[in-house]
Amino acid sequence: MWKRREIIMFNLFLGDVRKVRLFTLFLAVVGLYLVVGCAGTQSTEKPDFVTVTYKTIKTMSELYNMSMGTLGDLYREGKISEADKAKAIKYGERFRKAKDLAVEALISYTKTEGQSGFVLVQTALDEAIRLYGELARYIQPMLTKGEL
Amino acid sequence: MSAELIVTVIGLILKYGVPTAIQIYQTWAGGVGDPEKPTIDELEKLKTMTPPAESFFEE
């Protein structure tokens, strides 16, 4: 056993490319298995779903507040036009409404914990995430233009 | 929270998507709030956490 191990180590040390690649592949497969296994375990537990959804909404809300606050500062400094301001408000409000729907759905789900509520929360959250992405894509050039 | 960080976070969002960027941000910020399951009151607070977009542009 020891002899075999020495041989493997020797081969690795000498740079046996095939064995190194096999070893790397083995590590990657084990790593992937662990990641998928852990993700599966977490997603089936209801408390984790509520907590993760809550934290996601809270984080998005904080990012929204920071982003819009910065845009407001840039607007007052004259670095953002009225047209850009109007569009930022439009995208911001779209996100805010979607986020409010996700919060309502999450509150209902927390009270009832029904399967339909679970799907509703996921759908509402996906929409809020999509709209935050849309808002981020729109305001990013403005934030950069503002020479922060 | 600096403005540069917001640009960085938005850059992450554009590159990796919102969920991944949020995970990165949460890791950086050491998590947002308690890891415990939120109460109904805490969930209710989420409703008032985001002021209307127009209010950010008031003089």
Side-chain angles (χ1 to χ4, degrees), chain A residues 8-26:
Chain A
I8 291 171
M9 292 305 290
F10 183 67
N11 281 336
L12 284 171
F13 184 72
L14 285 181
D16 187 332
V17 178
R18 275 182 60 197
K19 285 194 174 175
V20 170
R21 280 183 182 163
L22 271 174
F23 186 63
T24 308
L25 183 66
F26 169 74

Side-chain angles (χ1 to χ4, degrees), chain A residues 51 55 59-60 62 64-66 68 70 72 76 93 96 99 104 110 113 129 132 137 140 143 148, chain B residues 1 6-7 9-10 13-14 18 22 25-26 32 35 37-38 43 46-47 49-53 56 58:
Chain A
T51 308
K55 287 177 77 174
T59 304
M60 278 195 298
E62 285 181 354
Y64 162 87
N65 287 341
M66 288 188 294
M68 297 304 283
T70 306
R76 281 184 286 278
E93 281 302 299
R96 214 168 67 88
K99 181 228 74 177
E104 288 291 349
T110 308
E113 299 208 345
I129 287 172
Y132 186 78
R137 266 192 302 281
Q140 196 258 355
L143 291 175
L148 296 169
Chain B
M1 189 67 60
I6 297 166
V7 174
V9 173
I10 288 177
I13 288 167
L14 298 179
V18 176
I22 284 176
Y25 174 77
Q26 285 179 343
V32 180
K37 186 176 178 179
L43 293 175
L46 288 176
K47 286 186 197 172
M49 204 178 155
T50 49
F56 290 96
E58 287 166 0

Side-chain angles (χ1 to χ4, degrees), chain A residues 31-48:
Chain A
L32 195 65
Y33 176 77
L34 287 174
V35 168
V36 171
C38 290
T41 307
Q42 284 180 345
S43 65
T44 54
E45 291 177 12
K46 283 177 184 174
D48 281 343

Side-chain angles (χ1 to χ4, degrees), chain A residues 4 18 65 72 74 76-77 79 90 130:
Chain A
R4 191 178 164 202
R18 275 182 60 197
N65 287 341
L74 291 174
R76 281 184 286 278
E77 289 168 18
K79 292 177 178 173
K90 185 182 109 183
R130 188 185 70 77

Side-chain angles (χ1 to χ4, degrees), chain A residues 81-136:
Chain A
S81 69
E82 287 293 330
D84 283 341
K85 171 193 157 187
K87 280 185 185 171
I89 289 172
K90 185 182 109 183
Y91 283 107
E93 281 302 299
R94 285 175 70 179
F95 160 73
R96 214 168 67 88
K97 282 172 186 164
K99 181 228 74 177
D100 285 347
L101 273 177
V103 172
E104 288 291 349
L106 185 62
I107 291 171
S108 299
Y109 172 73
T110 308
K111 287 175 180 169
T112 60
E113 299 208 345
Q115 184 58 35
S116 59
F118 179 83
V119 175
L120 199 64
V121 173
Q122 280 195 318
T123 309
L125 184 66
D126 285 348
E127 183 64 2
I129 287 172
R130 188 185 70 77
L131 288 171
Y132 186 78
E134 202 175 87
L135 173 68

